[in-house]
Amino acid sequence: MRAVSMITVLAITGASAATAHEVLPTIGDMEVQGDALSFTLEGNFESLVAGIDLDGLEDTEAAPEADTYDRLRALDPAAFEAEVEAYWPQMAEAITVLVDGTDVPVELVGVQVPDVGDVDLVRASTLQFRAPLPEGAESVQVGWPAEYGVLVLRQTGVEAGWDGYLSGGGLSDPVQLGGGNEMSGLSAFVQFIPVGVEHIVPLGLDHILFVLGLFFLSTRMRPLLWQVTAFTAAHTVTLALATLGYVNIPEEYMWLVESIIAASIVYVAVENIFTDGLNPWRPAIIFGFGLLHGLGFASVLTAYGLPDGAVIPALLGFNIGVELGQLFVIAIAFIIVASAIRLSVDGQVNKVAAAVYMAVAVLVVPLALIPISAMGPEAVEAYLPLLFMVALLAGLSAASCAVERFDTYRHMVAMPASVGIALVGAYWVVERVFL
């Protein structure tokens, strides 16, 4: 069990480093000002100047240009402003602005860069540029290159302004310069569901480990339902309050929230080791932890921006996406261990089931890397910890199916997995508090 736990730590802990060089979307406003369309973008422009391909990337440390990025991140404001200005001609070529279907040039207006601060954190600078508008212009389309990551763009200064989420290259739909293209509630709801799912699978490794900690407490459905209900209710409350502006955690204190989230993972995993049933106080404690997880969700949702006229539908869509991601994790975990649970209850051995489990761990999971690798190195980095967990869980289930005695699932699957989860959570606590 100790060996399994240490392997888990080595394979999974690397994913937590993404918080230091996290890839966030660029947030922008566009507004008609006189005879020009003005754009104001706020984002991590060090990654663009460094030449990092942000399409699907989670952590700038994984990019070949990471050293260049770190050098740029440490520059004082005046020096980095000069770097952005020197890079602007290349950026202007990559950005597309079509006015009534005609490509128009873009002109740099200015760059504002904040002080260096903590070089291990993302620095959000502001870049302004403009595009000329011919007399009588009616619509505009904006193209944002895939390598620049995600752009969340909002039309301001008009009634029912447009909100857009651009990624993967290509052009936006035509936007009426006079307004009227505001995102509908249904569109916002649908658009933010996959954002919520993605924040759990594959990006939310800490939330995945917490949900698995809930899953491994007991083989019975009722304790799981009580825990998931408490967790869902809590993070829904704080997600809504934080997104709507009623609760605000300053950025400099988010490390504390992230540290307590990591501590919550340790708690549920350690309690799994010492008990096999639902204690009366556990749902209440999970509810408290869920409040903090909701703040973590809210920080991500806020970074993506919400359409002004459809905040509630977007919030609901994101929350449903989060729930779908959590249910997916629980469903996959249950499918993997179902035979091990049944044999553990019956006290039987089944060598065929053990062989199938081992085949999944040794053959099926590695083969899954083939289609994932076709999506690029960033996808491999994102999904590798999850595939490792699947392989590990299948391997533990194989061992459980090969032993003829009662309660093998708890002692050979749930407890070793909980130890591994607790060790990873403990590492994250140390990392987020002291490193």
Side-chain angles (χ1 to χ4, degrees), residues 72-314:
L72 293 171
R73 177 64 187 85
L75 291 179
D76 62 60
F80 183 60
E81 286 173 12
E83 292 279 353
V84 175
E85 291 170 357
Y87 177 74
W88 171 250
Q90 182 177 338
M91 188 174 181
E93 287 290 327
I95 297 173
T96 301
V97 177
L98 300 181
V99 177
D100 293 336
T102 301
D103 194 359
V104 297
V106 291
E107 174 189 359
L108 181 66
V109 175
V111 184
Q112 294 83 44
V113 179
D115 292 333
V116 175
D118 187 346
V119 295
D120 289 330
L121 299 178
V122 171
R123 175 167 60 177
S125 302
T126 302
L127 182 147
Q128 295 174 297
F129 64 92
R130 64 196 299 272
L133 290 176
E135 186 176 353
E138 295 182 354
S139 67
V140 63
Q141 289 176 274
V142 179
W144 184 253
E147 61 269 23
Y148 286 0
V150 174
L151 171 65
V152 179
L153 188 60
R154 179 182 62 174
Q155 183 185 21
T156 60
V158 295
E159 293 292 332
W162 172 83
D163 294 271
Y165 178 91
L166 306 178
S167 64
L171 287 169
S172 69
D173 294 330
V175 178
Q176 297 302 312
L177 294 173
N181 289 121
E182 184 178 41
M183 183 183 297
S184 68
L186 179 59
S187 296
F189 175 78
V190 172
Q191 182 171 305
F192 276 85
I193 289 177
V195 175
V197 173
E198 183 183 45
H199 184 58
I200 299 297
V201 181
L203 304 182
L205 190 57
D206 48 357
H207 302 299
I208 288 175
L209 291 184
F210 184 81
V211 170
L212 288 176
L214 306 183
F215 175 80
F216 285 124
L217 174 67
S218 172
T219 60
R220 293 179 296 146
M221 183 60 67
R222 186 174 180 180
L224 179 61
L225 289 177
W226 271 110
Q227 294 175 92
V228 172
T229 300
F231 181 60
T232 298
H235 76 64
T236 299
V237 169
T238 47
L239 174 59
L241 291 176
T243 303
L244 296 174
Y246 295 106
V247 175
N248 181 34
I249 303 296
E251 185 177 351
E252 59 267 27
Y253 295 113
M254 279 305 298
W255 67 269
L256 181 59
V257 172
E258 296 295 333
S259 300
I260 299 177
I261 288 175
S264 72
I265 296 170
V266 178
Y267 173 83
V268 296
V270 169
E271 190 175 15
N272 291 348
I273 299 170
F274 293 102
T275 182
D276 61 353
L278 185 67
N279 293 318
W281 58 83
R282 178 152 164 151
I285 294 176
I286 289 173
F287 183 87
F289 285 139
L291 295 175
L292 291 165
H293 280 255
L295 293 176
F297 293 142
S299 66
V300 173
L301 185 56
T302 302
Y304 277 83
L306 291 172
D308 290 339
V311 172
I312 298 301

